Amino acid sequence: MKSNSSRAISPVVLTVMGATGDLATRKIIPSLWHLFLQGRLPEGFAVIGFARSALSLEEFRGRVRQILKERRSGEGDIDRFLSIFSYQSGMFDEASAFDALASRIRGIETSWGLCADKLFYLAVPPSRYGAIFQNLARAKLNLPCGGERGWSRILVEKPFGHDLESSRKLQELLSEYFREEQIYRIDHYLAKEIVEGIIYFRFSNNLFERSWSNAMIERIEIRLLETIGVEERGGFYDPVGAFRDVGQNHLLEMLAAITMEYPPDMAPSTIRRNRASVLQSLKGWTDEQVRKDTYRAQYRGYREIKDVNPGSDTETYFALSTELTHPLWKGVPIYLEAGKRCTEPRKEIVVTLKHPPACLLCEPGQHTRNQVIFQMEPSDRIVIRFWSKKPGYERALEERSFSFFLYEKEDRSQYVEEYAKLLHAAMAGDQTLFASGDEVEALWKFADPVLKGWESGIVPLDSYEAGTTPTESLLSRDEQISPESSGHKEIGLVGLGKMGANLARRMAEKKWSVVGYNISPEPTRVLAGEKIIETAFSLVELAQKLSSPKVVWLMVPAGKAVEESLFGKRGLAGLLSPGDTVIDGGNSFYKDSIRRAEALEKRGIFFVDVGVSGGPVGALNGPSLMIGCKRQAFEMLETLFRDLASEGGCRFFGGYGAGHFVKMIHNGIEYGMMQAIAEGFTILKEAPYRLNLADVADVYNHGSVIESRLMGWLKEAFELFGDDLASVSGSVGHTGEGKWTVDVAREKGIEARVIELAHEFRLESEKNPSYAGKILTALRNRFGRPAL
């Protein structure tokens, strides 16, 4: 897998704007030396230092020599290296200085006998950009020579603005003089070996990638913790702070690398587009979410640093939790954390995987999840943490890890390798390691509400001792109230049949304390024996065992059973108090749900109607939940619904009855789909070939357009009962949902021919059983309906 940066580089003239500044001293010149030692500079290469200091060529080269003496690693021909440098003195707002620069570049081109490629590195504050852009354009230095020769590119350092508005103005300014393919925005973390390595680790292996999503991953943590402080950089750091310095850019670009979609190719435009796409799906902020899900602090002694405002409220540490709305990642909590003067250096991405559905030999409460860790500090490596059998006779587990070191620490120089790669890539025309305009826009859209919220005082500035990591930060708080440790999630469950029992198991897995009641006591005893529920043998006992505010989930048949459970002589309406909640998870008619909600509302009791789809298997592993109620009730119970639902399988539909209405139409559609399957397989059974129908169902269910859970259940039925379905009834049972859907369609004047005919077939099957009826009955049995 090769990138464009591996191709040959044409002769280049590099102009460093701000050549006497800190950035050139610490990063650019040492990185050029590194490229020189590696033999990666083009055969024709010249560097023009541009700054306001009145230096002679000898003085400038002497300055470069001193930088190499203090910072270089490796031995090489310093005099030959220095010979590529020249110097142009001038002010950035002086047109004449840029005319002189253009003349100097033309002189180099004349000596080479060709029009050179031109690269301009802006190692200056953003306040200087406007004048530089205008003067480069005035001198026509922003224009390529044409054809394949003589391109002109500009390297721009972060920060790309101070907020969203200033970032957009900077982009407008850039776009006025340069095209997007000429603009190289530097975020040096994109060039770090471990961040680049993430893409190759993911997309060059099948180790995890096919399950690299919310299906497999429980949470993502990204942190950049340093033991160093602000030191001599108070004047730079104080107006910026930790979030602008590393959160709005480095951390989020690392998140993009870990979550971007599998690209069809490795073209720079593809990689940048995929990074931008996932960053654009970052969840937006409200003031309440900023207050609840962000934390900021400043280490004690920071305000005494030179050039720091004595009353500074700049954060030197922050933590926040967020998530992506992208379908592959929805529901996965993401934690970002960064700070200075912390306990230990930790720069890493930790991807925590979910527990398997059944964990062999796991000890309750002691079995940690598998993790994949991409680590930069204290060493550059990839670590996979997993469980294996402990050697010996006992059936016991021990935690193991596999570590892959990218290179030994002593071989590295801070920043040099990253900036060398960036310079090399810019000369090669490879924008992969540079942020696109779309990425920068998405980064600021995410960051702006947080910064504005902090500035308005929504989140008070905390403090911490230098040399410690804040222990009461957001991450610590969320770990304390996570599903693994919370003891306050309690619910009553009425109805412990196939669906209800598996919902109870799902609730218990998600650390909900379940008080269960069933009209017949045996299912209650079974679940109690599994230590899934606390038993109740009446609605009265169930209500007594729940703490306030009480939440009760009904999973009983629609109609009379719901009515009795709510409004019967000892129904829940008389046992619950204002502020309590009833959830009807059965297939009730939506108009009945509206009536019941209004009746309970008068008593101050919340009512939520939830359509539950997925059958008993879905109830156990994560069903689809369609939720109707007032928003207040949904927000109170959102944790419950997200805990229970499959990834992406939880949706709120405002209004009483809305959840049951959506589920009713779902079941009507289900009628039509099942009917089509039944008719199709009836024809297949009479085919002029000896077809194994289980095999037909299986192949249909692997990559075909009609792949579905229904097809999988049909395969199971054929394997269980044979192609003839001899022991299965050809008369199809039915409940009200199909008829309700047809009736609603008629009320609305809408044709629903397929659903109506499917419903009529079921009615007629009572008198005229058929093979198609057997298929329908078999399917109904597979997802938990009554029997054969």
Side-chain angles (χ1 to χ4, degrees):
M1 186 179 294
K2 294 182 180 180
S3 72
N4 291 339
S5 60
S6 63
R7 68 190 181 206
I9 301 173
S10 303
V12 175
V13 176
L14 167 64
T15 302
V16 180
M17 302 286 179
T20 59
D22 180 68
L23 181 61
T25 300
R26 293 190 303 118
K27 300 176 182 178
I28 300 173
I29 291 172
S31 298
L32 290 171
W33 173 248
H34 181 81
L35 289 173
F36 176 78
L37 294 178
Q38 296 289 321
R40 291 188 175 274
L41 292 177
E43 187 173 341
F45 185 69
V47 180
I48 302 173
F50 188 111
R52 62 185 178 183
S53 301
L55 299 176
S56 67
L57 175 59
E58 290 72 22
E59 287 173 325
F60 180 64
R61 287 180 176 176
R63 185 183 182 92
V64 174
R65 184 186 293 275
Q66 185 62 29
I67 291 170
L68 296 183
K69 181 179 178 181
E70 293 174 356
R71 299 175 180 272
R72 78 171 194 255
S73 61
E75 296 297 327
D77 188 342
I78 293 180
D79 289 335
R80 188 161 69 88
F81 179 68
L82 292 176
S83 71
I84 68 176
F85 285 85
S86 60
Y87 185 73
Q88 174 69 49
S89 175
M91 304 296 289
F92 299 129
D93 57 358
E94 287 180 350
S96 59
F98 284 80
D99 290 337
L101 175 63
S103 178
R104 185 179 293 274
I105 291 173
R106 284 195 298 271
I108 295 171
E109 291 175 321
T110 300
S111 68
W112 289 347
L114 51 76
C115 176
D117 298 333
K118 291 173 277 293
L119 184 62
F120 300 95
Y121 197 130
L122 271 62
V124 298
S127 60
R128 304 291 188 184
Y129 287 177
I132 293 174
F133 297 158
Q134 290 166 4
N135 281 317
L136 285 173
R138 181 187 167 280
K140 296 185 173 17
L141 290 172
N142 63 329
L143 301 178
C145 298
E148 295 292 323
R149 299 284 327 126
W151 48 251
S152 179
R153 296 171 186 151
I154 188 161
L155 280 161
V156 184
E157 276 280 350
K158 78 169 187 69
F160 312 113
H162 192 73
D163 53 19
L164 181 59
E165 182 182 359
S166 61
S167 173
R168 285 173 171 170
K169 288 179 179 177
L170 175 58
Q171 179 58 34
E172 289 173 6
L173 190 62
L174 271 166
S175 300
E176 188 175 346
Y177 303 106
F178 295 90
R179 299 188 305 276
E180 180 63 22
E181 58 266 30
Q182 293 179 278
I183 303 168
Y184 288 68
R185 302 173 189 83
I186 293 175
D187 182 334
H188 72 273
Y189 264 70
L190 287 173
K192 282 189 173 291
E193 283 291 348
I194 197 68
V195 178
E196 261 200 295
I198 290 168
I199 295 177
Y200 287 85
F201 176 85
R202 289 182 56 196
F203 302 144
S204 302
N205 302 293
N206 256 344
L207 190 61
F208 295 111
E209 187 57 34
R210 296 190 68 176
S211 302
W212 198 257
S213 67
N214 50 22
M216 179 177 174
I217 291 172
E218 180 174 281
R219 62 189 272 162
I220 297 171
E221 301 163 50
I222 307 177
R223 57 179 55 90
L224 296 177
L225 302 179
E226 300 178 291
T227 54
I228 63 171
V230 174
E231 272 60 76
E232 303 300 319
R233 300 170 68 231
F236 160 77
Y237 194 88
D238 201 44
V240 176
F243 190 48
R244 282 190 178 94
D245 188 34
V246 300
Q248 178 270 342
N249 37 72
H250 300 336
L251 288 173
L252 292 177
E253 288 288 11
M254 291 162 70
L255 175 63
I258 209 75
T259 58
M260 63 181 280
E261 286 194 75
Y262 197 105
D265 55 59
M266 289 294 287
S269 59
T270 304
I271 299 298
R272 282 159 40 113
R273 183 168 58 249
N274 282 20
R275 286 201 308 251
S277 177
V278 76
L279 290 171
Q280 287 161 353
S281 75
L282 280 161
K283 190 175 181 180
W285 295 96
T286 64
D287 285 350
E288 176 58 22
Q289 287 168 331
V290 170
R291 184 196 65 76
K292 181 170 67 76
D293 293 334
T294 72
Y295 171 90
R296 62 188 183 120
Q298 182 187 97
Y299 67 80
R300 296 186 184 97
Y302 168 78
R303 293 174 182 172
E304 282 73 55
I305 293 173
K306 181 184 176 183
D307 297 326
V308 168
N309 186 329
S312 172
D313 64 352
T314 296
E315 80 287 349
T316 59
Y317 172 94
F318 76 89
L320 63 83
S321 67
T322 186
E323 67 176 78
L324 299 166
T325 60
H326 192 287
L328 289 176
W329 296 104
K330 189 171 179 61
V332 176
I334 296 165
Y335 297 93
L336 307 180
E337 178 187 28
K340 291 189 173 295
R341 297 301 302 271
C342 293
T343 309
E344 59 180 342
R346 291 184 66 190
K347 298 182 179 181
E348 62 187 5
I349 303 172
V350 181
V351 179
T352 301
L353 280 59
K354 293 180 177 178
H355 262 318
C359 185
L360 302 176
L361 304 178
C362 295
E363 299 179 34
Q366 297 183 20
H367 185 251
T368 57
R369 274 99 165 120
N370 303 139
Q371 291 181 323
V372 182
I373 303 171
F374 302 90
Q375 191 176 81
M376 287 170 277
E377 291 281 354
S379 58
D380 284 272
R381 60 178 179 164
I382 299 172
V383 181
I384 301 173
R385 291 180 178 167
F386 60 97
W387 290 86
S388 182
K389 182 184 178 298
K390 184 181 291 185
Y393 296 99
E394 293 78 15
R395 298 178 64 187
L397 292 175
E398 63 178 354
E399 190 172 12
R400 304 292 295 272
S401 65
F402 172 81
S403 296
F404 170 69
F405 285 85
L406 295 187
Y407 43 69
E408 295 299 327
K409 188 74 176 177
E410 57 266 26
D411 293 337
R412 296 189 55 213
S413 299
Q414 189 178 30
Y415 302 125
V416 170
E417 287 87 346
E418 291 91 346
Y419 274 83
K421 272 200 286 185
L422 291 168
L423 285 165
H424 188 267
M427 289 187 283
D430 184 354
Q431 290 184 304
T432 305
L433 303 181
F434 299 87
S436 67
D438 288 341
E439 287 173 79
V440 173
E441 174 86 359
L443 296 172
W444 277 119
K445 279 186 176 178
F446 176 79
D448 240 26
V450 176
L451 292 165
K452 289 177 180 176
W454 289 356
E455 288 164 7
S456 68
I458 290 175
V459 179
L461 182 70
D462 205 351
S463 63
Y464 62 103
E465 289 293 338
T468 67
T469 303
T471 56
E472 299 303 320
S473 74
L474 184 83
L475 272 69
S476 304
R477 185 204 72 189
D478 282 2
E479 286 168 2
Q480 291 165 8
I481 63 172
S482 67
E484 289 77 3
S485 59
S486 172
H488 301 290
K489 302 196 297 185
E490 182 185 70
I491 191 168
L493 181 59
V494 178
L496 304 176
K498 287 182 179 180
M499 287 290 291
N502 276 354
L503 273 179
R505 294 182 178 101
R506 177 78 171 172
M507 291 170 178
E509 178 194 351
K510 296 296 183 178
K511 308 304 180 188
W512 284 81
S513 175
V514 184
V515 180
Y517 163 69
N518 197 72
I519 193 168
S520 57
E522 186 56 30
T524 308
R525 295 192 180 101
V526 169
L527 289 174
E530 296 179 27
K531 298 183 179 179
I532 298 297
I533 63 169
E534 181 179 352
T535 61
F537 293 97
S538 69
L539 290 175
V540 174
E541 185 181 0
L542 179 135
Q544 288 173 344
K545 287 189 172 183
L546 292 172
S547 56
S548 294
K550 299 176 174 66
V551 178
V552 180
W553 186 302
L554 299 181
M555 208 65 199
V556 299
K560 183 179 178 181
V562 177
E563 203 71 22
E564 285 293 319
S565 297
L566 290 176
F567 304 112
K569 186 175 181 181
R570 293 193 173 183
L572 292 168
L575 299 172
L576 300 181
S577 303
D580 294 342
T581 303
V582 173
I583 302 168
D584 181 4
N587 286 324
S588 294
F589 185 43
Y590 81 99
K591 291 183 179 179
D592 290 338
S593 297
I594 295 171
R595 173 178 53 80
R596 291 163 183 156
E598 292 172 347
L600 290 172
E601 188 175 43
K602 292 176 181 176
R603 299 170 180 255
I605 298 170
F606 295 102
F607 179 85
V608 182
D609 52 283
V610 179
V612 182
S613 180
V617 173
L620 182 63
N621 297 320
S624 171
L625 301 181
M626 303 147 224
I627 302 158
C629 57
K630 291 188 174 179
R631 179 166 288 278
Q632 180 186 0
F634 171 73
E635 290 178 349
M636 288 192 303
L637 297 168
E638 187 172 3
T639 298
L640 168 66
F641 297 136
R642 296 207 182 279
D643 278 354
L644 296 186
S646 61
E647 298 294 347
C650 170
R651 287 294 185 278
F652 167 67
F653 303 99
Y656 291 138
H660 281 155
F661 185 89
V662 172
K663 180 58 167 36
M664 176 186 73
I665 303 305
H666 164 283
N667 288 1
I669 294 169
E670 181 186 288
Y671 268 47
M673 292 173 67
M674 290 172 63
Q675 187 68 30
I677 291 170
E679 292 173 3
F681 274 82
T682 299
I683 299 169
L684 284 166
K685 189 174 184 300
E686 301 302 321
Y689 308 99
R690 296 186 63 182
L691 301 176
N692 181 307
L693 296 186
D695 285 349
V696 174
D698 191 42
V699 75
Y700 283 173
N701 210 37
H702 283 82
S704 84
V705 174
I706 59 172
E707 180 179 2
S708 66
R709 185 173 291 180
L710 289 171
M711 202 61 70
W713 285 337
L714 182 57
K715 174 191 175 243
E716 292 176 3
F718 283 135
E719 290 176 338
L720 189 61
F721 301 109
D723 284 2
D724 289 335
L725 302 176
S727 61
V728 179
S729 172
S731 296
V732 192
H734 54 90
T735 51
E737 299 98 311
K739 181 179 183 303
W740 295 338
T741 304
V742 171
D743 289 345
V744 168
R746 288 172 179 167
E747 284 178 19
K748 305 293 184 184
I750 298 169
E751 287 190 356
R753 295 181 185 179
V754 172
I755 298 172
E756 187 168 353
L757 289 171
H759 175 62
E760 289 175 359
F761 179 90
R762 297 192 182 202
L763 297 177
E764 292 169 3
S765 73
E766 295 176 8
K767 296 180 180 179
N768 301 302
S770 64
Y771 184 74
K774 287 175 176 281
I775 291 176
L776 292 172
T777 301
L779 284 172
R780 295 183 78 245
N781 173 260
R782 299 317 295 161
F783 57 82
R785 297 288 171 82
L788 307 169

